[in-house]
Amino acid sequence: MPVSMDEVVQRVAAYQPRSLPPDGMRAATALVLCAEPEPLFVVIRRATRHGDPWSGHAALPGGRCDKSDVDAAATARRETHEEIGLIVGEPVGQLDDIGGRFHKGVVTPVVFQISRAQPLHPDPREVAAAHWVPLSLLEDPKRRTRHPHRKIGPWPAWDYQTGDVPPLDSLIIWGLTHRILSNFLDVIDPAR
């Protein structure tokens, strides 16, 4: 992994993301980074809602594109503010679009950098909790695990210990969020 946040930002800014044609729903997520005291990123625990198959799961802030959003960055920026009360400025860059495995749609991950970690204020209608997570988690072999999935079998994942009370003390980062963060790692450290 690059040694500094400056290198991370330079590599994301220089990256030419792969775009997918519209296929159903369009959405965007925000990968929000900061460099204090070590590189961190934001992960949310989705609120539990009836009928939502990803209730309680880890995710990046984000959601469906709205007609008023001029682009994916506007969607990611708006959703980040709505979900966790965080205001982000202009994006550093984008990662590859990701198509759904089980549902039609395309998600565009947008990367933002802020100067320092700020308090996160989850909207309980959408977000049960939000955490600043050390970026080093993604390279820590002790944090790698597998998430069982009834259709596709064990999925690669990371286990983040949140410090919350059980059973909310562990947050498994898998699925779409794992795919986005894996692409991010490939962009910032192509030799990995």
Side-chain angles (χ1 to χ4, degrees):
M1 186 176 303
V3 294
S4 73
M5 185 58 75
D6 287 342
E7 287 179 285
V8 168
V9 168
Q10 288 171 2
R11 290 178 187 186
V12 170
Y15 185 67
Q16 297 298 309
R18 180 178 50 98
S19 296
L20 294 177
D23 183 23
M25 181 269 313
R26 293 289 304 190
T29 62
L31 176 53
V32 181
L33 306 170
C34 81
E36 72 164 58
E38 63 176 302
L40 304 169
F41 69 101
V42 174
V43 170
I44 64 170
R45 181 185 303 272
R46 294 170 55 102
T48 302
R49 292 193 298 216
H50 181 72
D52 180 355
W54 297 282
S55 285
H57 289 217
L60 299 174
R64 291 177 187 248
C65 296
D66 186 277
K67 290 178 184 177
S68 65
D69 297 331
V70 296
D71 57 16
T75 299
R77 191 180 298 110
R78 175 182 54 77
E79 287 284 341
T80 299
H81 184 254
E82 288 174 5
E83 290 183 352
I84 59 173
L86 190 62
I87 296 173
V88 294
E90 289 304 308
V92 170
Q94 291 183 194
L95 303 174
D96 293 342
D97 282 352
I98 297 181
R101 292 198 188 253
F102 302 111
H103 304 284
K104 287 190 178 229
V106 175
V107 176
T108 302
V110 182
V111 181
F112 297 91
Q113 180 189 22
I114 62 175
S115 59
R116 60 183 176 78
Q118 299 172 16
L120 305 173
H121 304 284
D123 177 344
R125 295 171 295 178
E126 298 188 63
V127 178
H131 304 278
W132 284 104
V133 177
L135 199 54
S136 61
L137 171 96
L138 305 179
E139 290 292 335
D140 184 351
K142 295 177 195 161
R143 299 287 106 209
R144 292 189 187 128
T145 188
R146 305 291 280 182
H147 178 72
H149 190 281
R150 61 183 172 79
K151 290 185 179 179
I152 57 175
W155 185 284
W158 292 285
D159 181 9
Y160 174 62
Q161 298 302 304
T162 66
D164 293 338
V165 296
L168 302 176
D169 56 334
S170 179
L171 186 59
I172 304 298
I173 302 170
W174 75 287
L176 179 69
T177 304
H178 186 277
R179 291 169 64 195
I180 292 168
L181 293 171
S182 293
N183 177 225
F184 172 69
L185 289 177
D186 290 342
V187 168
I188 65 170
D189 189 4
R192 78 177 191 99

